[in-house]
Amino acid sequence: MKQKAIIITAPSGAGKTTLVKKLLKNRDDLAFSVSACTRSKRETEVNGVDYYFLDLNEFRQKIKEEGFVEWEEVYEGTFYGTLKTEIQRIWERGRAVIFDIDVKGAIQLKKKLGEKAIAIFIAPPSEEVLSERLRGRGTESEETLRKRLSKSLAELEFQEQMDATVINDDLEIAYQDLYEKVSEFIES
Ligand code: 5GP
């Protein structure tokens, strides 16, 4: 297979992580690029599977070593980055790499990977639904939630810069739409 990359991006709360996990479960031609991040691990997460959880010094060291294709301070004081080694590892195994990444990171990756990549924006059906979904997650403090919400609303503006959009109203319909877009790109 040619070296291909699927960049899945969205405002936080649009449901992109659910869609990415579902794709990975059903397609063995894709593998997930595990990012590094400095936030604390949620209870259900596993180090090395969901993220490589690093402390700030370890993250800074990786930046210095030029270990990242891109990195961002996604939330104040919290860093996330895509590791060069992940992309190479996945391509060497003959799979397409899939990223779950914020909008700024998605634009960076698309710039670096060019024609090898498709950037797909997952959009919520409305701003109201986006707020409800963020609240419903229940893993964040009120302060964190407020920050995430204002950021998510601003991120809706980035949709036009992506290659394609999938509207996540009904999860099954969104999934089918995404699946078809991914298949078409991989076969191209
Ligand atoms: P969460 O803390 O909810 O897992 O992720 C917060 C945001 O960071 C999400 O939008 C997620 O997609 C994004 N993110 C995850 N990994 C990376 C990465 O490697 N680079 C960038 N720029 N954003 C990332």
Side-chain angles (χ1 to χ4, degrees):
M1 198 209 274
K2 283 192 258 175
Q3 294 181 335
K4 299 250 176 174
I6 320 284
I7 304 165
I8 306 292
T9 191
S12 185
K16 73 175 179 309
T17 303
T18 309
L19 286 164
V20 168
K21 290 206 164 135
K22 205 165 153 66
L23 266 182
L24 282 161
K25 213 167 120 193
N26 293 317
R27 301 188 65 124
D28 56 12
D29 55 351
L30 303 181
F32 184 60
S33 166
V34 180
S35 292
C37 79
T38 64
R39 76 155 161 75
S40 34
K41 190 173 86 58
R42 294 178 187 140
E43 222 171 83
T44 54
E45 291 175 326
V46 178
N47 189 22
V49 175
D50 297 284
Y51 285 105
Y52 297 104
F53 294 95
L54 306 183
D55 65 29
L56 212 50
N57 280 334
E58 291 168 327
F59 199 95
R60 286 206 185 103
Q61 185 57 33
K62 279 268 174 239
I63 297 175
K64 238 186 180 165
E65 290 167 4
E66 300 190 2
F68 292 118
V69 190
E70 65 75 42
W71 61 270
E72 293 280 338
E73 184 174 2
V74 175
Y75 303 109
E76 211 182 309
T78 309
F79 296 82
Y80 294 76
T82 305
L83 294 157
K84 289 180 183 167
T85 46
E86 284 292 293
I87 303 178
Q88 283 316 321
R89 172 179 72 80
I90 293 166
W91 279 346
E92 276 163 20
R93 280 162 47 206
R95 299 192 181 177
V97 54
I98 183 162
F99 305 93
D100 172 340
I101 193 172
D102 86 320
V103 284
K104 284 193 191 148
I107 291 165
Q108 289 301 316
L109 271 183
K110 177 69 192 172
K111 258 194 212 146
K112 298 235 163 101
L113 297 173
E115 291 300 300
K116 289 179 177 165
I118 183 171
I120 304 177
F121 189 87
I122 311 296
S126 67
E127 292 188 3
E128 288 71 29
V129 171
L130 185 66
S131 319
E132 280 164 27
R133 285 185 190 162
L134 277 176
R135 291 193 174 281
R137 195 187 265 176
T139 53
E140 265 84 32
S141 68
E142 194 55 35
E143 171 64 7
T144 311
L145 192 63
R146 203 184 44 74
K147 277 194 205 156
R148 289 197 169 212
L149 189 55
S150 72
K151 185 168 190 286
S152 288
L153 293 175
E155 284 172 345
L156 289 174
E157 307 297 319
F158 286 83
Q159 182 174 339
E160 288 147 35
Q161 296 182 48
M162 307 300 163
D163 299 313
T165 295
V166 166
I167 295 172
N168 187 12
D169 187 356
D170 177 282
L171 183 70
E172 253 337 288
I173 296 171
Y175 177 69
Q176 284 311 323
D177 188 10
L178 181 61
Y179 191 97
E180 278 163 30
K181 286 186 163 74
V182 168
S183 296
E184 195 183 318
F185 177 69
I186 285 186
E187 284 153 23
S188 68

